[in-house]
Amino acid sequence: MIILGLSGAVGHDASAAILVDGKTIAAAEEERFLRDKHAKNKYPLEAAKYCLREAGVQPEQVDVVAFPYAEIPLTSPARWHYAKRYWYAPDRALDAIFNGNRRFRRNRDHVLALMAELGLSRARFVPVEHHLAHASSAYHLGGFKEKTAIVGIDGKGEYATTFFGYGENGKIHKIKEFYDPDSLGGLYGAITEYLGFEMLDGEFKVMGMAPYGDPKKYDLSRLLEFDGGNFRVNTKLINVVGLRRYKENGKGYYFAKALVDWLGPKRNGDEIDHPYIHYAAAVQDLLETVALKLIDHYVGDIVRETGRIAMAGGVALNVKLNQRIIALPGVKELFVQPASGDAGTALGAATYVAAELGENVEPMRHAYLGPSYTTAECIAACEAHPAKPQWQRIDDASAKGAELLAAGHPLAWFQGRMEFGPRALGCRSILGDPSHPGVADRINAQIKYRERWRPFCPSMLDRAAADILQTDHPAPYMTFTFDVAEHWKARIPEVVHEDGTARAQVVTMDTNPRYYRLIEELEKRRGIPVVLNTSLNRRGEPMVCSPADALDMFFGSDLQYLIMEDVLVTKSDIYD
């Protein structure tokens, strides 16, 4: 059975994924091919073409196209809840009741047109509820055999914003859903906008800002009502539509003027900290408090029974929340889908349909599911690039990379298959030696051009991880923070955040041998089995995909060294 998953229904993060007989062969975001971050209002044409190529599948061989957006019947409480809560915008409220699947029909028609363009003549179109796709992406790929609690928290899908359920014997069971506008992801996104960042993109920045503030300095609890089992967002302040939206320079925001009247002017510019760092700390604390209590309320008994949780949805990328989930009593292991945002729903829809059709879905072993390029293709890109790169072939990329890192240089590292999801995991990365003071600031200022308080992450050898992180919890995807052991903080200062934590990737030889060897080679030179790792892109751009993208990024920054497969590219003024 060949199943192609296509996402793009929610207007951002379009992606494609392909399963052959239950095995994930390829998955990629459309933004990487279009060079347009989040690929807003696009459908995954190029990503789908790539997936078919990678799988060696002809379009007419595809059996099913799975799509993570479905019809919601009028008998569901979702549409009635939406109508009731949006009473102040009667056009939207009435639309939910009388024309509540309008967006589904529009999306379906776009996907059917895309299928025709791709030549998927035999494929059957199968819609999957958005939150079931999130749930499947975590549960079916998490590899747990025991009964597993499933948590899905995001902005919203069709109407649902939050999902609690469990997986058992390959089947997903719903326990509870919450519906728009009652959305923790929406709440966090609204404050993200208020703090001067872009919703659906800047939530990571709020999370990075939070440790610099005091969560007790401002009480943001009036943003929602919460009784331990149910919550209701205050739509006089946030998660607002229509005339309630605060407007500035002609742009409407997801919060109301009443929020500005309460908290003060919206933050503008990178340099303003107070009181906004305290608001970031307070909203992070509110998210953690409410989410943890909801998890305990709805799936706490399952957690205490088996200790397993699978999680997806945009809020599942909040690594500070995830650290606290791992610390809950009874939790043995938390699996967070590395592409937890809406891009991951292409893979989730495909795995859900595969499981429903009785296929055995193979657990996810790694996130290296995108395109790869040969050394010859990298050389061809150098020869064709207008900047006339100076390059040389090298015998041992890992050793040469470690030599440059040990000398204190940042290094662009382009190897193997591109990662699926927002995290660079050693194939499309900018690297640094975390024991070199100032290397993080140098990368921030000269290459990434991003906010000074955003942390960088460590990739570390599996044999050293338990000593550094004080736990043996699996961490292959940078989806958790951990408390760094005291005796390591001074040794790797460039990857330890303000609160003493690190968002770590534990690297294994079997999933990324060349990257593993690079870290080993750095350890030989510096005594540190850790490398600083951030994504290979500039601020506002998607992670690079092809050698041409890597060269464009290289020559558009102050980077001096780039290794692509077995090719070393250097800037002309330092070439030897």
Side-chain angles (χ1 to χ4, degrees):
M1 178 80 67
I2 299 173
I3 302 173
L4 182 66
L6 301 175
S7 80
V10 289
H12 57 88
D13 295 309
S15 66
I18 194 163
L19 262 68
V20 178
D21 298 331
K23 180 179 174 62
T24 304
I25 305 298
E29 294 100 315
E30 186 73 2
E31 65 165 22
R32 310 285 168 85
F33 302 95
L34 301 184
R35 310 309 306 151
D36 177 14
K37 196 166 187 184
H38 298 299
K40 290 180 179 174
N41 300 312
K42 298 289 196 298
Y43 285 83
L45 175 63
E46 299 304 323
K49 288 178 181 175
Y50 154 69
C51 285
L52 293 169
R53 272 196 317 272
E54 186 70 38
V57 166
Q58 295 302 311
E60 62 273 12
Q61 293 176 279
V62 175
D63 298 293
V64 174
V65 167
F67 186 64
Y69 204 83
E71 288 185 285
I72 303 300
L74 196 55
T75 52
S76 162
R79 289 162 62 180
W80 294 98
H81 180 93
Y82 182 98
K84 182 179 177 184
R85 296 283 279 121
Y86 282 112
W87 61 268
Y88 64 87
D91 55 331
R92 297 200 182 215
L94 292 169
D95 200 47
I97 295 171
F98 294 108
N99 196 14
N101 288 304
R102 175 174 49 85
R103 286 185 71 194
F104 167 75
R105 290 193 298 273
R106 185 178 71 237
N107 279 303
R108 177 198 61 198
D109 293 345
H110 278 299
V111 175
L112 291 174
L114 178 61
M115 289 168 64
E117 186 173 354
L118 290 165
L120 304 173
S121 54
R122 283 186 53 251
R124 184 163 53 97
F125 173 76
V126 179
V128 176
E129 281 184 34
H130 186 79
H131 271 267
L132 284 176
H134 274 314
S136 179
S137 77
Y139 169 59
H140 286 122
L141 293 169
F144 296 143
K145 301 297 183 195
E146 309 93 329
K147 187 177 181 181
T148 301
I150 303 174
V151 178
I153 309 175
D154 68 1
K156 78 163 185 172
E158 301 92 352
Y159 292 92
T161 66
T162 311
F163 174 99
F164 294 102
Y166 65 95
E168 190 170 27
N169 300 322
K171 294 288 184 186
I172 293 173
H173 306 268
K174 284 185 191 180
I175 294 174
K176 172 70 175 178
E177 283 185 324
F178 290 87
Y179 306 112
D180 189 24
D182 298 316
S183 167
L184 294 178
L187 180 155
Y188 203 91
I191 299 302
T192 295
E193 283 195 328
Y194 171 74
L195 293 175
F197 307 116
E198 193 174 336
M199 195 169 168
L200 305 173
D201 184 58
E203 285 83 353
F204 300 115
K205 302 174 187 181
V206 176
M207 187 174 61
M209 195 184 205
Y212 292 86
D214 178 358
K216 295 184 172 56
K217 199 169 180 71
Y218 296 99
D219 179 9
L220 298 187
S221 60
R222 74 167 80 165
L223 293 176
L224 82 172
E225 298 170 21
F226 178 58
D227 64 7
N230 290 286
F231 71 94
R232 199 178 144 93
V233 166
N234 184 347
T235 56
K236 291 181 180 174
L237 296 171
I238 54 166
N239 297 14
V240 297
V241 298
L243 296 176
R244 277 198 185 174
R245 290 193 163 182
Y246 173 74
K247 292 182 175 61
E248 193 175 271
N249 299 322
K251 180 181 177 182
Y253 292 91
Y254 203 47
F255 55 87
K257 182 179 180 297
L259 184 81
V260 176
D261 294 341
W262 172 33
L263 297 180
K266 172 182 166 292
R267 178 177 176 266
N268 286 293
D270 284 349
E271 301 305 315
I272 306 169
D273 287 346
H274 296 280
Y276 302 101
I277 54 172
H278 305 302
Y279 294 151
V283 76
Q284 177 67 29
D285 184 66
L286 182 65
L287 172 73
E288 292 175 13
T289 300
V290 175
L292 290 169
K293 287 180 178 175
L294 287 170
I295 289 168
D296 184 62
H297 184 83
Y298 288 107
V299 294
D301 55 340
I302 299 166
V303 172
R304 287 182 283 274
E305 180 186 341
T306 68
R308 312 293 176 193
I309 306 179
M311 189 171 174
V315 174
L317 293 169
N318 191 298
V319 294
K320 306 299 296 180
L321 168 62
N322 296 347
Q323 180 176 10
R324 292 195 62 186
I325 294 173
I326 291 171
L328 286 172
V331 174
K332 295 175 185 171
E333 188 174 339
L334 169 64
F335 174 78
V336 170
Q337 166 58 238
S340 267
D342 287 322
T345 58
L347 188 52
T351 53
Y352 184 84
V353 171
E356 287 293 292
L357 293 174
E359 298 212 315
N360 181 35
V361 178
E362 285 193 18
M364 195 171 194
R365 289 185 55 252
H366 58 75
Y368 307 117
L369 297 169
S372 63
Y373 298 86
T374 64
T375 294
E377 287 173 313
C378 294
I379 291 171
C382 289
E383 299 286 8
H385 199 273
K388 303 289 185 229
Q390 300 201 51
W391 60 271
Q392 57 185 285
R393 283 196 73 134
I394 49 179
D395 294 328
D396 189 335
S398 296
K400 185 63 180 177
E403 177 190 319
L404 293 167
L405 292 170
H409 301 294
L411 171 67
W413 178 252
F414 179 105
Q415 303 286 330
R417 294 182 68 180
M418 181 181 69
E419 300 88 341
F420 183 50
R423 296 283 149 274
L425 300 169
C427 287
R428 302 289 186 276
S429 294
I430 298 170
L431 307 177
D433 175 357
S435 65
H436 262 285
V439 75
D441 286 341
R442 187 172 163 193
I443 292 171
N444 244 349
Q446 298 179 2
I447 300 160
K448 296 290 280 190
Y449 311 121
R450 65 182 200 172
E451 298 81 357
R452 64 199 180 285
W453 35 258
R454 285 182 63 193
F456 288 104
C457 304
S459 296
M460 59 189 65
L461 300 180
D462 50 359
R463 57 177 165 76
D467 184 42
I468 298 170
L469 305 176
Q470 308 174 85
T471 178
D472 58 1
H473 191 282
Y477 303 123
M478 281 188 190
T479 46
F480 314 118
T481 48
F482 299 98
D483 294 321
V484 176
E486 284 297 328
H487 62 283
W488 275 99
K489 287 178 181 174
R491 297 181 68 188
I492 50 171
E494 300 298 282
V495 290
V496 180
H497 199 22
E498 183 77 4
D499 57 2
T501 65
R503 186 179 74 199
Q505 175 199 8
V506 177
V507 184
T508 60
M509 176 63 92
D510 66 316
T511 57
N512 199 333
R514 188 169 275 207
Y515 192 41
Y516 195 93
R517 279 202 55 246
L518 174 128
I519 303 172
E520 282 191 319
E521 291 289 335
L522 182 61
E523 183 183 29
K524 288 178 190 173
R525 291 162 172 79
R526 298 282 295 173
I528 303 292
V530 183
V531 68
L532 178 155
N533 175 9
T534 187
S535 55
L536 185 55
N537 65 289
R538 290 173 295 182
R539 183 175 179 177
E541 295 179 354
M543 200 186 304
V544 307
C545 177
S546 70
D549 300 335
L551 289 166
D552 288 344
M553 188 263 163
F554 181 66
F555 287 105
S557 73
D558 290 337
L559 277 164
Q560 300 295 307
Y561 299 94
L562 163 66
I563 294 180
M564 298 191 293
E565 296 301 329
D566 294 323
V567 178
L568 170 64
V569 184
T570 51
K571 295 273 169 73
S572 57
D573 58 338
I574 56 162
Y575 188 79
D576 61 27

